[in-house]
């Protein structure tokens, strides 16, 4: 692209956005900032779920289309654990562990035997998602399961300038998302296993040649990725609700997040999650029946200018 | 070529699909032109069976099983063409069919509960416009999707398809939200009501045959051969001077046309269109049908559709009606795990096993 084109398209993108921001703040500042917060907290949930998706994809080139089912599974498990014990943190742990276990099982029992057959793996995940979704519908039913926030996060947070009050739980999601992002970054960049995973992303064959048990690395990654989906499920069980169909919604979100942000990159997932979360909530607040169009336009724009995502690199 | 080699080549084909790069040297064989190859006994038998089907079958079988399988098979055929011959697996084919169906309902006549969105154009104009616009949409989805390769394409087409589903669900001013459009009827032409089971069956049969022969013709035409070359080795085709992207988008447009025709037939078959018609389960069902039958021959999707519809209709006798998804998911898993070439692959494998070494598999 020439310099002129860059400026032209940059301006064409930034100008309407600026106009919208100025108009939004001037028209109804409270609505504008609450929507912004809603968008960021939703982005936090999207990031937690999508980072697992992108982790698995980055290392194994496995598009896990059962990721949404794992999210729903984690949410249900969290709901029932919270109902039994009455505590939120064990529910989070249980959601993570059960989803991680199922993911581990999938990797060890199935995907290990079709290494490198990307399309077949994807189809298997499609089949698995149908079966898992139907089993959950069978055993749990189609009723809405919504968890209440734990006592220490219940109720609103008061006396914030401009927006006066905001849900404590949703506010807490913001630091949680950031914390998980930082932890994931530290894990990938500062630990030995993380180093192996990154090496595997770059060159699987070479990693195996250096004597690393690649299958173990793969299994670990798959478990963590699936676990993050389950963890996100427990969070989503409070923020949204658990009902058949939510799995597809979060799968779509994960797909768009990694397509927009760049596949296989955790920072890209964070960026994509913020873009998607904010765009979706603003769409819902300002143009309810067309909100998904904004998501679609973003997808088209990114694919038109950066086919591999904003932070994506050539495979 | 021996059967084992053939199967290996097909398996390599699946690998190629996945990685976007060839594993082995491309094994493209150009057989004689479809219309030059002799018409075998099996062709005559199958055609006679299909033509005579309404004569001995009940209207229920003709309509529910026959017409539905053929219409679904036509939509899945578009995916077989894209996936089997273009090496591009798109999950948005039902979306293209759904766009055609929605347009028939919006432009033509329908009866929705409380709104009157339908414009009431004459049916032929509505259908023509629907097919053209849906084909354009298919090409546009292709234009988006071909910017990436292999496994990414599934993600992008799935995202586009699900986004369209949510648009239909949320939007009331054009798509009439959750309710969609009811009583979208096939027209009355030449004094005949084409919604009559037998007539409708022949209508669907005609277009399915047309689609089948069209694909059969296309894959031996220069365009189809170039497309298969691109599937096997895009870089080499590019070096030979072929415009890879243009061929891929054109393949999406062709698949869009086939899916659009199938979509019009499907909306007439169901008599209604709702967001569920383009929901994720149907996006995936098209893939299931195509893979179930086998991606390596244009007859595959029709076989897959028949099995799918039979399972759907008679799963009620096997186990609970509600558990259809479990059955179809399990069948799909079994096929993907044990016979990646679908039922056609299974058939070929059985044939090899029990045939004398004399004939081999052609």
């Amino acid at each position: 692209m020439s310099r002129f084109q860059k400026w032209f398209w940059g301006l064409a993108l930034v100008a309407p956005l600026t106009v919208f921001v100025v108009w939004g703040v001037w028209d109804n500042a409270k609505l504008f900032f609450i929507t912004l917060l809603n968008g960021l907290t939703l982005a936090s949930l999207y990031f937690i779920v999508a980072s697992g998706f992108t982790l698995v994809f980055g290392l194994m080139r496995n598009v896990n289309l059962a990721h949404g089912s794992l999210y729903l599974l984690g949410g249900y498990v969290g709901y029932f654990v919270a109902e039994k014990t009455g505590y939120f943190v064990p529910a989070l742990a249980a959601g993570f562990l059960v989803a991680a276990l199922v993911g581990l099982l999938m990797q060890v029992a199935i995907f290990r035997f079709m290494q490198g057959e990307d399309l077949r793996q994807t189809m298997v995940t499609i089949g698995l998602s149908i079966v898992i979704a139907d089993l959950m519908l069978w055993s749990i039913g189609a009723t809405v399961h919504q968890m209440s926030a734990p006592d220490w996060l219940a109720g609103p947070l008061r006396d914030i300038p401009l927006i006066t009050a905001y849900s404590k739980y949703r506010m807490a999601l913001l630091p949680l998302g950031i914390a998980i992002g930082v932890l994931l970054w530290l894990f990938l960049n500062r630990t030995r296993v993380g180093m192996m995973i990154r090496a595997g992303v770059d060159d699987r064959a070479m990693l195996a040649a250096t004597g690393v048990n690649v299958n173990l690395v793969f299994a670990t990654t798959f478990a963590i990725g699936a676990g993050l989906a389950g963890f996100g499920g427990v969070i989503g069980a409070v923020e949204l609700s658990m009902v058949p169909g939510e799995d597809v919604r979060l799968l779509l979100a994960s797909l768009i997040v990694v397509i927009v942000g760049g596949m296989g990159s955790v920072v890209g997932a964070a960026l994509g999650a913020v873009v998607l979360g904010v765009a979706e909530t603003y769409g819902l607040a300002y143009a309810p029946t067309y909100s998904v169009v904004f998501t679609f336009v973003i997808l088209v724009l990114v694919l038109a200018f950066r086919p591999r995502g904003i932070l994506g690199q050539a495979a | 070529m021996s059967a084992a080699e053939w199967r290996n080549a097909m398996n390599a084909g699946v690998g190629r699909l996945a990685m976007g790069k060839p594993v082995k040297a491309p094994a493209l064989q150009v057989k004689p032109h479809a219309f030059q190859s002799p018409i075998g006994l099996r062709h005559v038998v199958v055609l006679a069976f299909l033509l005579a089907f309404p004569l001995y079958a009940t209207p229920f079988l003709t309509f529910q099983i026959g017409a539905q399988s053929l219409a679904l098979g036509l939509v899945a055929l578009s995916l077989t063409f894209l996936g089997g011959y273009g090496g591009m697996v798109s999950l948005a084919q039902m979306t293209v069919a759904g766009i055609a169906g929605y347009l028939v309902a919006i432009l033509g006549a329908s009866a929705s509960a409380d709104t009157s969105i339908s414009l009431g154009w004459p049916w032929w104009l509505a259908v023509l416009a629907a097919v053209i616009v849906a084909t354009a949409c298919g090409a546009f989805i292709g234009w988006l999707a071909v910017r990436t390769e292999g496994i990414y394409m599934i993600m992008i087409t799935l995202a586009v398809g699900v986004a369209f589903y949510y648009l239909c669900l949320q939007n009331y001013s054009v798509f009439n939200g959750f309710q969609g459009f009811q009583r979208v009827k096939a027209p009355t032409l030449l004094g005949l009501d084409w919604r009559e089971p037998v007539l409708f069956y022949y209508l669907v049969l005609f277009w399915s045959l047309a689609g089948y022969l069209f694909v059969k013709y296309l894959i031996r035409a220069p365009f189809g051969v170039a497309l298969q070359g691109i599937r096997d080795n895009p870089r080499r085709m590019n070096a030979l001077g072929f415009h890879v992207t243009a061929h891929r988008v054109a393949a999406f447009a062709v698949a869009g046309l086939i899916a659009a025709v199938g979509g019009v037939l499907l909306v007439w078959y169901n008599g209604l269109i709702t967001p569920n018609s383009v929901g994720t389960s149907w996006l995936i069902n098209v893939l299931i049908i195509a893979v179930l039958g086998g991606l390596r021959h244009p007859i595959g999707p029709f076989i897959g559709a028949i099995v799918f519809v039979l399972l759907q209709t008679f799963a009620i006798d096997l186990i609970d009606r509600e558990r259809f998804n479990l059955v179809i998911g399990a069948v799909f898993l079994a096929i993907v795990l044990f016979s990646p070439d679908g039922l056609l692959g299974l058939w070929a494998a059985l044939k090899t096993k029990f045939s004398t070494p004399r004939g081999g598999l052609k």
Side-chain angles (χ1 to χ4, degrees):
Chain A
M1 252 196 269
S2 74
R3 210 160 146 188
F4 169 76
Q5 272 176 319
K6 265 186 192 164
W7 276 99
F8 175 78
W9 286 111
L11 212 65
L13 290 179
V14 171
L17 272 183
T18 322
V19 170
F20 172 73
V21 169
V22 170
W23 173 81
V25 173
W26 176 76
D27 183 58
N28 187 343
K30 189 176 167 185
L31 176 70
F32 185 85
F33 285 109
I34 285 191
T35 313
L36 182 65
L37 264 182
N38 280 343
L40 289 177
T41 48
L42 187 64
S44 187
L45 173 66
Y46 283 172
F47 167 71
I48 292 168
V49 178
S51 59
F53 186 81
T54 201
L55 199 64
V56 170
F57 178 81
L59 180 61
M60 286 174 260
R61 291 279 170 270
N62 179 338
V63 178
N64 183 10
L65 294 181
H67 204 67
S69 307
L70 292 170
Y71 163 86
L72 200 58
L73 178 70
Y76 280 136
V77 168
Y79 177 87
F80 290 120
V81 169
E83 206 181 38
K84 277 268 182 301
T85 63
Y87 293 105
F88 185 63
V89 177
L92 274 178
F96 182 90
L97 284 178
V98 171
L101 210 65
V102 173
L104 191 68
L105 211 67
M106 272 156 60
Q107 168 64 20
V108 172
I110 303 173
F111 299 129
R112 198 151 57 97
F113 301 104
M114 32 180 92
Q115 214 55 252
E117 294 175 70
D118 305 10
L119 186 70
R120 210 167 143 208
Q121 287 191 355
T122 310
M123 289 191 188
V124 169
T125 63
I126 291 177
L128 281 175
S129 75
I130 299 172
V131 170
I132 295 176
D134 205 56
L135 284 177
M136 283 193 291
L137 182 65
W138 197 0
S139 52
I140 300 170
T143 47
V144 177
H145 289 72
Q146 175 140 31
M147 247 159 90
S148 47
D151 289 339
W152 45 279
L153 280 178
L157 201 64
R158 290 180 201 289
D159 299 328
I160 313 170
L162 271 173
I163 55 171
T164 59
Y166 196 73
S167 155
K168 250 190 224 169
Y169 178 80
R170 296 199 67 144
M171 199 58 125
L173 286 187
L174 222 50
L176 183 68
I178 294 170
I180 286 183
V182 171
L183 278 179
L184 211 55
W185 187 87
L186 285 176
F187 169 71
L188 285 176
N189 289 286
R190 292 282 182 272
T191 65
R192 202 172 156 70
V193 181
M195 211 154 74
M196 287 174 193
I197 292 178
R198 280 186 298 130
V201 171
D202 289 340
D203 195 330
R204 271 177 285 183
M206 208 59 199
L207 180 67
T210 54
V212 172
N213 185 347
V214 177
N215 276 332
L216 198 64
V217 177
F218 278 14
T220 316
T221 316
F222 211 104
I224 294 173
L228 280 170
F231 189 82
V234 184
I235 292 168
V238 181
E239 190 187 351
L240 309 166
S241 56
M242 284 294 132
V243 69
E246 281 296 296
D247 48 348
V248 175
R249 193 183 141 184
L250 262 287
L251 176 65
L252 174 70
S254 304
L255 284 175
I256 293 183
V257 163
V258 299
I259 292 171
V260 168
M263 302 181 217
S265 141
V266 174
V267 183
L271 194 65
V274 169
V275 170
L276 177 69
V278 169
E280 206 179 297
T281 24
Y282 272 107
L284 272 177
Y286 287 88
T289 67
Y290 290 96
S291 73
V292 74
V293 175
F294 296 109
T295 313
F296 186 72
V297 168
I298 289 172
L299 189 70
V300 171
L301 283 177
V302 169
L303 284 177
F305 293 109
R306 304 255 333 162
R308 294 202 178 274
I310 297 174
L311 293 183
Q313 288 154 356
Chain B
M1 213 182 206
S2 79
E5 279 176 82
W6 208 91
R7 257 184 36 231
N8 280 340
M10 283 319 296
N11 286 338
V14 171
R16 268 200 297 276
L17 269 179
M19 283 174 282
K21 280 180 199 160
V23 184
K24 292 172 191 166
L28 180 70
Q29 345 144 261
V30 179
K31 283 194 277 185
H33 198 281
F35 295 137
Q36 291 164 3
S37 67
I39 295 174
L41 183 65
R42 54 188 178 158
H43 296 108
V44 178
V45 170
V46 170
L47 192 63
F49 173 80
L50 286 174
L51 281 174
F53 187 64
L55 297 182
Y56 49 82
T58 59
F60 169 79
L61 279 181
T62 309
F63 191 67
Q64 301 278 349
I65 309 285
Q68 195 188 358
S69 313
L70 288 170
L72 281 175
L74 193 56
V75 177
L77 175 67
S78 71
L79 178 57
T80 302
F81 174 70
L82 266 186
Y85 298 96
M88 303 174 285
V89 176
S90 159
L91 282 176
Q93 287 315 108
M94 201 46 155
T95 304
V96 176
I99 290 173
Y102 260 110
L103 281 170
V104 168
I106 292 169
L107 300 175
S110 77
S112 26
D114 49 346
T115 54
S116 50
I117 297 168
S118 297
L119 299 173
W121 291 8
W123 69 268
W124 55 270
L125 193 60
V127 168
L128 200 66
V131 169
I132 290 172
V133 173
T135 307
C137 288
F140 176 70
I141 293 172
W143 176 78
L144 277 181
V146 299
R147 303 181 146 261
T148 55
E149 274 188 347
I151 211 78
Y152 300 86
M153 200 172 273
I154 293 189
M155 300 167 66
I156 286 161
T157 50
L158 181 63
V160 170
V162 179
F164 181 70
Y165 162 71
Y166 277 110
L167 177 65
C168 296
L169 196 64
Q170 291 175 356
N171 185 287
Y172 279 83
S173 50
V174 178
F175 294 102
N176 201 27
F178 179 71
Q179 291 181 330
F181 297 90
Q182 268 79 40
R183 273 181 274 161
V184 188
K185 285 181 187 155
T188 308
L189 179 66
L190 305 171
L192 299 168
D193 179 9
W194 289 90
R195 198 165 154 67
E196 282 291 304
V198 175
L199 282 178
F200 187 72
Y201 171 81
Y202 282 118
L203 179 72
V204 180
L205 180 62
F206 171 77
W207 285 107
S208 300
L209 265 179
Y212 173 76
L213 292 176
F214 177 53
V215 170
K216 244 346 218 176
Y217 164 78
L218 209 57
I219 56 182
R220 295 292 162 231
F223 169 70
V225 175
L227 193 65
Q228 290 167 71
I230 288 168
R231 171 196 67 191
D232 293 341
N233 195 335
R235 286 177 70 186
R236 197 176 293 179
M237 291 302 278
N238 195 19
L240 284 173
F242 286 89
H243 198 313
V244 171
T245 311
H247 275 77
R248 285 181 167 161
V249 175
F252 262 95
V254 169
L257 176 67
I258 299 171
V261 174
V264 172
L265 293 172
L266 266 183
V267 73
W268 281 344
Y269 166 78
N270 288 317
L272 56 90
I273 187 152
T274 63
N276 260 345
S277 321
V278 291
T280 330
S281 57
W282 274 108
L283 300 183
I284 288 171
N285 282 348
V286 171
L287 178 72
I288 291 179
I289 290 170
V291 171
L292 208 61
L295 284 174
R296 50 175 239 209
H297 193 278
I299 198 67
F302 294 104
I303 295 175
I306 292 170
V307 174
F308 179 88
V309 171
L310 283 176
L311 277 178
Q312 192 185 39
T313 315
F314 296 110
I316 188 169
D317 299 331
L318 290 172
I319 65 173
D320 195 356
R321 174 107 184 110
E322 301 291 310
R323 296 281 77 81
F324 167 66
N325 274 335
L326 198 61
V327 174
I328 197 70
V331 169
F332 179 65
L333 260 183
I335 284 284
V336 174
L337 285 176
F338 303 114
S339 171
D341 283 341
L343 293 173
L344 282 177
L346 210 62
W347 172 244
L350 285 177
K351 221 164 141 186
T352 330
K353 206 165 181 181
F354 294 110
S355 72
T356 47
R358 162 191 63 84
L361 185 67
K362 181 85 175 139

